[in-house]
């Protein structure tokens, strides 16, 4: 009977992407908790999304520096890092609006769906910004 373990060369090849996904899961959880807290105090969903997004982006910067890419965070990288989130924010905000206002999806479920869409692009840009 053969083992169904993933070969180590595949893990080694994709380990930064795997760590990026793990950071993304933590970051999405933090974002969603903040989003729910802001919604609980009657802050409109787009504003809740924006504030939660900015706060979680700061956490993401440090997690990606230390855990994903194992690089030292610098002020220059900190100010360049939001570049990675311009498209991320645009895609998630547009998809959030489309899911809630056009498709009438629940505004508590829609952010979880819209958070998945920009992952590949964000990975490539964050790797470029944080490791150059």
């Amino acid at each position: 009977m053969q083992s169904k373990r993933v070969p180590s060369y595949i893990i080694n090849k994709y380990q930064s992407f795997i760590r990026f996904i793990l950071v993304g899961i933590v970051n999405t959880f933090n974002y969603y908790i903040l989003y729910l807290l802001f919604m609980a105090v009657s802050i409109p969903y787009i504003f809740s999304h924006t504030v939660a997004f900015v706060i979680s982006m700061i956490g993401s910067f440090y997690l990606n520096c230390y855990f994903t890419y194992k690089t030292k965070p610098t002020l220059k990288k900190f100010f360049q890092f939001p570049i990675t989130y311009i498209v991320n924010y645009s895609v998630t905000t547009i998809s959030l609006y489309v899911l809630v206002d056009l498709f009438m999806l629940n505004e508590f479920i829609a952010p979880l769906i819209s958070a998945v869409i920009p992952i590949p692009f964000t990975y490539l840009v964050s790797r470029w910004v944080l490791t150059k």
Side-chain angles (χ1 to χ4, degrees):
M1 180 179 260
Q2 285 188 329
S3 171
K4 297 195 186 249
R5 281 184 35 186
V6 178
S8 62
Y9 69 89
I10 291 176
I11 292 172
N12 290 338
K13 182 175 180 180
Y14 297 106
Q15 67 181 333
S16 69
F17 186 71
I18 293 166
R19 288 192 303 258
F20 180 80
I21 295 296
L22 293 173
V23 167
I25 291 168
V26 169
N27 194 46
T28 301
F29 177 77
N30 291 335
Y31 157 81
Y32 192 60
I33 295 298
L34 291 167
Y35 175 82
L36 292 176
L37 289 172
F38 295 135
M39 291 288 290
V41 294
S42 300
I43 296 174
Y45 78 91
I46 290 292
F47 188 73
S48 295
H49 162 68
T50 301
V51 175
F53 191 90
V54 169
I55 293 169
S56 64
M57 182 178 61
I58 294 168
S60 178
F61 169 74
Y62 287 104
L63 287 172
N64 276 303
C65 281
Y66 289 119
F67 181 68
T68 304
Y69 303 112
K70 302 193 184 297
T71 185
K72 182 181 177 185
T74 64
L75 200 54
K76 179 181 177 185
K77 290 177 185 177
F78 181 79
F79 286 113
Q80 288 178 333
F81 190 69
I83 294 168
T84 67
Y85 279 86
I86 291 171
V87 169
N88 185 306
Y89 177 78
S90 299
V91 170
T92 57
T93 302
I94 290 167
S95 64
L96 180 62
Y97 171 78
V98 168
L99 291 171
V100 172
D101 287 352
L102 301 180
F103 293 133
M104 305 302 173
L105 190 65
N106 182 291
E107 61 190 21
F108 294 100
I109 302 296
L112 297 174
I113 296 168
S114 64
V116 174
I117 298 167
I119 290 173
F121 179 79
T122 305
Y123 171 74
L124 293 172
V125 176
S126 69
R127 183 177 68 183
W128 176 74
V129 167
L130 296 177
T131 63
K132 67 176 183 168

